Amino acid sequence: MIRKVIGIYYSPVGGTEIMTKTLARKIGAILDDCSPLDVNVECYDMLKDQSGITFDDETIAVIGMPAYVGKIPLPAAAAMRSFTGNGALTLAAVSYGGRRYGNALFELKRLAEDCGFKAIGAGAFMISYMARRGSARSAAPAIDMDSLSDFCNAASEKIKRLAGCEIEELRIKPMPVEVSGRMPVHKISRISPRAAAAAQSVFNRISVLRRKSEWFL
Ligand SMILES: Cc1cc2nc3c(=O)[nH]c(=O)nc-3n(C[C@H](O)[C@H](O)[C@H](O)COP(=O)(O)O)c2cc1C
């Protein structure tokens, strides 16, 4: 039985934080509605809150990172390694600016699995920094809320099927989630949070291509 949804994120400019909190809160609310016990939601910045967060088989982990140049940022990958998943069911989520998220989602899912999380879903969601700031240059929605909602509904159904039974041995075993990417994982982006904030506006000025969010369960 799921008792807790924990969102952990790395978010230099705030978009990934919004995405992760939205996912964790929506999924927490759906699970809480159909559970006889309370389902609590907690969200943490993975650079600031590395201690005292524990994952177990009664926890859903939502792990959020941004795509920088099609990769996950190095400080985020380093911070992730201090967490131990203990087999917690996990949704890996990448926020991106509407161009290409490249290898980022593949890298995040692999990293989460290396840290002991059991990935049952993954998604890349478009979060437009310029639109979020109200720029007239951006016709894109600030946050692809429709895709986030669809993913939460579908992921919650899967979680209910996988975690609904009290007896571990009787639970349905999840199929591996397929996210395409390259092996070996290429060098992870080394950009620092401060440089990311400066680069963000430049990136969005040159971003014209809009690709829809995608998710896999
Ligand atoms: C240095 C840098 C590189 C980026 N590279 C990409 C990219 O390759 N593809 C993309 O779609 N968005 C890219 N973006 C946009 C971010 O992925 C997007 O705005 C994300 O939501 C930022 O997350 P944050 O607000 O949590 O930092 C990049 C942004 C920065 C600052």
Side-chain angles (χ1 to χ4, degrees):
M1 192 75 71
I2 298 301
R3 307 288 303 273
K4 204 183 274 183
V5 180
I6 298 183
I8 49 170
Y9 56 85
Y10 173 82
S11 185
V13 196
T16 311
E17 178 179 351
I18 295 172
M19 174 192 72
T20 310
K21 286 182 172 172
T22 303
L23 290 171
R25 286 173 185 160
K26 276 182 188 286
I27 290 168
I30 295 170
L31 297 179
D32 193 48
D33 264 359
C34 65
S35 172
L37 303 168
D38 282 349
V39 177
N40 299 312
V41 179
E42 295 168 10
C43 293
Y44 302 96
D45 178 330
M46 66 172 74
L47 284 200
K48 292 187 192 141
D49 313 290
Q50 290 185 357
S51 61
I53 310 172
T54 50
F55 298 93
D56 56 31
D57 64 354
E58 295 191 330
T59 311
I60 299 296
V62 180
I63 305 175
M65 289 191 194
Y68 286 170
V69 205
K71 304 167 200 169
I72 56 172
L74 189 62
M80 257 307 284
R81 293 207 176 85
S82 62
F83 293 102
T84 306
N86 293 321
L89 300 182
T90 298
L91 302 167
V94 156
S95 82
Y96 73 115
R99 284 177 80 82
R100 288 187 166 78
Y101 59 87
N103 225 31
L105 192 58
F106 178 76
E107 284 177 347
L108 177 56
K109 179 180 163 282
R110 286 288 304 238
L111 179 62
E113 286 169 345
D114 285 352
C115 295
F117 293 89
K118 199 182 290 175
I120 56 155
F125 299 99
M126 208 185 83
I127 311 283
S128 164
Y129 175 75
M130 267 172 83
R132 217 156 35 86
R133 299 225 143 183
S135 167
R137 279 173 53 99
S138 178
I143 297 163
D144 188 352
M145 210 44 101
D146 289 346
S147 294
L148 286 173
S149 291
D150 290 348
F151 179 66
C152 288
N153 290 331
S156 300
E157 287 307 313
K158 185 168 183 179
I159 292 163
K160 285 185 221 166
R161 283 200 306 276
L162 295 174
C165 179
E166 283 290 347
I167 305 161
E168 225 231 291
E169 289 69 31
L170 298 181
R171 284 186 202 147
I172 302 165
K173 301 286 175 287
M175 289 280 286
V177 181
E178 292 296 330
V179 177
S180 57
R182 278 182 309 201
M183 280 297 290
V185 171
H186 62 352
K187 209 171 161 199
I188 290 169
S189 173
R190 285 182 177 276
I191 193 150
S192 71
R194 201 190 286 175
Q200 186 72 73
S201 58
V202 179
F203 174 84
N204 282 278
R205 221 168 291 138
I206 59 166
S207 285
V208 284
L209 185 65
R210 293 282 163 205
R211 283 169 61 89
K212 285 184 65 186
S213 304
E214 293 183 299
W215 46 265
F216 312 90
L217 285 170

